[in-house]
């Protein structure tokens, strides 16, 4: 499975972006988004549970970020509203594959290369 994230760019504080992640194969329900801010570790952003019945958003991103998907197109989206400077970073999509899926990096088997999001004031 190969994952390709896109949709990043340079935006201003308060703007919105929608990131897309297209998978080369069927990725099932265990998919998620992570991000790495400059100088920081990669952190969880959002995910679907393996059974597809639950969605998880990082607590401090609730209300601004949402995850959605188009199953038939093997595509997962991350909608980000009211962006602030702290949202700057590289955003990665991941697929659980044979792993559990969840809120931790080790829960995912496949990773895309990431797309850069830069929020300027």
């Amino acid at each position: 499975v190969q994952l390709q994230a896109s949709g990043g760019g340079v935006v201003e504080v308060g703007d919105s972006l929608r990131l897309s992640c297209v998978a080369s194969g069927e990725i099932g329900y265990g998919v998620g988004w992570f991000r790495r801010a400059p100088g920081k570790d990669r952190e969880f952003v959002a995910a679907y549970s393996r059974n597809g019945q639950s969605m998880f958003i990082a607590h401090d991103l609730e209300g601004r970020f949402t995850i959605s998907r188009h199953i038939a197109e093997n595509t997962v989206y991350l909608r980000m509203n009211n962006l602030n400077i702290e949202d700057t970073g590289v955003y990665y999509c991941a697929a659980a594959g044979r792993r559990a899926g969840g809120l931790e990096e080790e829960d995912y088997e496949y990773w895309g290369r990431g797309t850069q999001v830069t929020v300027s004031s």
Side-chain angles (χ1 to χ4, degrees):
V1 175
Q2 292 184 334
L3 304 171
Q4 180 63 55
S6 63
V10 180
V11 296
E12 295 183 347
V13 171
D15 285 350
S16 298
L17 275 177
R18 189 181 76 163
L19 306 182
S20 301
C21 176
V22 180
S24 62
E26 185 176 335
I27 54 175
Y29 287 105
V31 292
W33 287 94
F34 290 73
R35 70 182 183 184
R36 187 193 303 275
K40 296 185 177 180
D41 294 332
R42 190 156 56 183
E43 64 177 358
F44 171 78
V45 174
Y48 276 95
S49 62
R50 280 195 66 92
N51 62 13
Q53 295 181 2
S54 300
M55 292 182 289
F56 306 100
I57 305 292
H59 180 68
D60 58 345
L61 301 178
E62 290 178 348
R64 295 195 300 122
F65 286 28
T66 56
I67 187 172
S68 62
R69 64 186 299 154
H70 193 304
I71 296 175
E73 296 184 354
N74 285 328
T75 303
V76 180
Y77 303 100
L78 181 69
R79 176 70 179 184
M80 307 183 294
N81 294 327
N82 193 23
L83 287 161
N84 56 54
I85 293 176
E86 290 73 29
D87 296 318
T88 293
V90 179
Y91 284 71
Y92 301 88
C93 60
R98 293 166 293 182
R99 300 185 186 181
L103 281 63
E104 304 293 335
E105 290 187 55
E106 55 265 30
D107 295 334
Y108 294 86
E109 182 174 2
Y110 303 105
W111 291 84
R113 287 189 175 184
T115 184
Q116 175 72 45
V117 173
T118 303
V119 185
S120 63
S121 60

